[in-house]
């Protein structure tokens, strides 16, 4: 027969097992006064039945019971849930057995007689661990469900649900698309999904970062050239536009495209023809163009830094990616998946997500969005995540320029850490020319060799 007492709705349920009624009464009273919900049993059999029907947060049990000894009971509890915390209460002669049980996974043991505070302290710690275990299980289940739906758009927030629906609808429309999102928000993921989910999926997806190439190279990269078109052009080169024939051309950071190239790109979009440098013949191209930007192109056009006619030609359909700070319920899901991938890549066990890490994931604003979160997961998988320094240096004070400057320094420092001080690798990851990165490294007072 059991006795129950319901405490506050937020209290955890504890099963307490002892064949002495007075011991059950006294310990139940102590636990209830500390805010727990307690169910007591005088034998292992009825307790196991109740635990199977409704698993508790914690089991506290004497190792001397009339129907099962401590080892047998603990073994049964392990088959029910190997992560269920169990605190054993022992007499002097049972301590060796309790220590052996702890090696097998028992949470703690208390030797009789024990003060009530010792029991309460152990119960609090055990239930804190249990909360983390259950939260991780729920997150894993949500993660698996989200990955099964579509791994490219991991998230359960309303914003991500709407984004997935919009991208699927637009993918079948086969029109040019403008993707807007902050740095690291996942613009290329959206562009890739538009390609994979549309009728062009079997043809090329060709990406070009308009801000990563010098003006002298960008034109040839985009339009191609004939042999002899300029000094050093020894043979014909197929440009990105031609290579995207039948497929999708993704132009990232299109706001960085030089104005003279914008004129030519506008003609390509209007006429669907391309003329390589040094050539006289034009070639018809059938492609979808997806352009991505992190700035307001309408405002840029008004300021004269981006062609107004190109902006309106691209702005047939605009897809805006919500920043990570506006979909906080997705942060932990994303972190778990990034952590799993990082641990696999580094050949390590996936580390447990601790309370301080969860607090950091919930409180941080993630100005670098999904990219910043992924880098944090990699550092955590390597055991390098210093929570006091993992976020960009405090950006709450100072002018906008000061805040942007501090974030840029933090982002470059993180990339140098991940690249082991290799500036070439860091530049590729950041999508910026090496010379530009070297200039920024010098301006921020960073030394690449410090990170080797």
């Amino acid at each position: 027969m059991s006795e129950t007492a319901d405490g506050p709705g937020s209290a955890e349920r504890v099963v307490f097992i002892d064949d002495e009624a007075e011991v059950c009464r006294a310990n139940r009273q102590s636990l209830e006064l500390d805010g727990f919900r307690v169910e007591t049993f005088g034998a292992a059999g009825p307790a196991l039945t109740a635990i199977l029907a409704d698993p508790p947060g914690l089991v506290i049990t004497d190792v001397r019971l009339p129907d099962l000894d401590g080892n047998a009971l603990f073994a049964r509890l392990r088959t029910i849930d190997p992560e269920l915390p169990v605190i054993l209460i022992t007499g002097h002669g049972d301590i060796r057995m309790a220590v052996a049980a702890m090696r097998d996974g028992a949470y703690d043991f208390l030797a009789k007689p024990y003060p009530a505070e010792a029991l309460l302290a152990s119960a609090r710690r055990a239930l804190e661990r249990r909360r983390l275990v259950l939260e991780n299980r729920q997150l894993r289940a949500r993660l698996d469900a989200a990955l099964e739906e579509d791994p490219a758009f991991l998230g359960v927030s309303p914003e991500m649900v709407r984004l997935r629906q919009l991208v699927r609808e637009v993918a079948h429309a086969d029109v040019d698309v403008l993707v807007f999102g902050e740095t690291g928000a996942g613009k290329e993921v959206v562009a890739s999904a538009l390609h994979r989910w549309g009728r062009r999926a079997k043809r090329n997806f060709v990406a070009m970062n308009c801000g990563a190439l010098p003006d002298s190279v960008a034109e040839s990269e985009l339009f191609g050239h004939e042999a002899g078109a300029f000094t050093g052009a020894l043979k014909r080169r197929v440009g990105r536009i031609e290579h995207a024939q039948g497929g999708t051309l993704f132009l990232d950071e299109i706001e960085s495209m030089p104005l003279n190239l914008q004129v030519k790109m506008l003609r390509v979009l209007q006429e669907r023809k391309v003329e390589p440098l040094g050539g006289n013949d034009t070639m018809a191209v059938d492609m979808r163009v997806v352009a991505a930007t992190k700035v307001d192109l309408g405002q840029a056009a008004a300021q004269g830094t981006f062609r107004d006619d190109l902006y309106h030609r691209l702005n047939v359909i605009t897809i805006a990616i919500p920043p990570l700070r506006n979909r906080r319920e997705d942060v932990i899901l994303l972190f778990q998946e990034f952590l799993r991938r990082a641990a696999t890549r580094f050949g390590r066990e996936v580390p447990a997500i601790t309370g301080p890490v969860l607090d950091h994931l919930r409180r941080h604003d993630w100005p670098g969005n999904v990219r910043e979160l992924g880098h944090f997961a990699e550092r955590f998988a390597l055991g390098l995540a210093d929570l006091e320094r993992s976020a960009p240096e405090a950006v709450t004070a100072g002018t906008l320029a000061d805040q942007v400057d501090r974030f840029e320094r933090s982002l470059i420092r993180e990339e140098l850490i991940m690249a082991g001080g290799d500036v070439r690798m860091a530049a590729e990851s950041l999508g910026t020319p090496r010379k530009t990165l070297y200039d920024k490294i010098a301006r921020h007072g960073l030394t690449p060799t410090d990170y080797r």
Side-chain angles (χ1 to χ4, degrees), residues 175-179 190-191 194 248-252 288-292:
V175 295
D176 295 337
V177 179
L178 182 63
V179 180
V190 169
L194 287 169
T248 301
L249 176 67
F250 174 53
L251 300 175
D252 198 8
R288 164 183 249 174
V289 174
V290 179

Side-chain angles (χ1 to χ4, degrees), residues 210-249:
C210 300
L213 296 172
D215 294 359
S216 58
V217 176
E219 186 172 6
S220 174
E221 281 289 322
L222 191 58
F223 297 96
H225 63 254
E226 299 291 347
F230 51 84
T231 302
L234 301 179
K235 60 181 180 180
R236 184 177 187 274
R237 176 182 176 82
V238 175
R240 305 288 178 96
I241 294 174
E242 184 178 348
H243 189 50
Q245 180 73 270
T248 301
L249 176 67

Side-chain angles (χ1 to χ4, degrees), residues 147-204:
L147 284 173
E148 184 176 347
E149 180 178 353
D150 197 315
F153 290 94
L154 180 59
V156 295
S157 64
E159 292 83 0
M160 285 306 294
V161 172
R162 286 193 293 269
L163 180 63
R164 283 194 294 269
Q165 292 172 342
L166 177 60
V167 171
R168 286 193 179 279
E169 292 170 1
V170 173
H172 296 293
D174 199 30
V175 295
D176 295 337
V177 179
L178 182 63
V179 180
F180 173 77
E182 296 179 359
T183 297
K187 296 184 286 294
E188 186 164 356
V189 171
V190 169
S192 176
L194 287 169
H195 175 75
R196 288 184 293 106
W197 295 344
R199 69 175 180 83
R200 301 177 180 273
K202 294 182 179 180
R203 305 302 294 270
N204 292 333

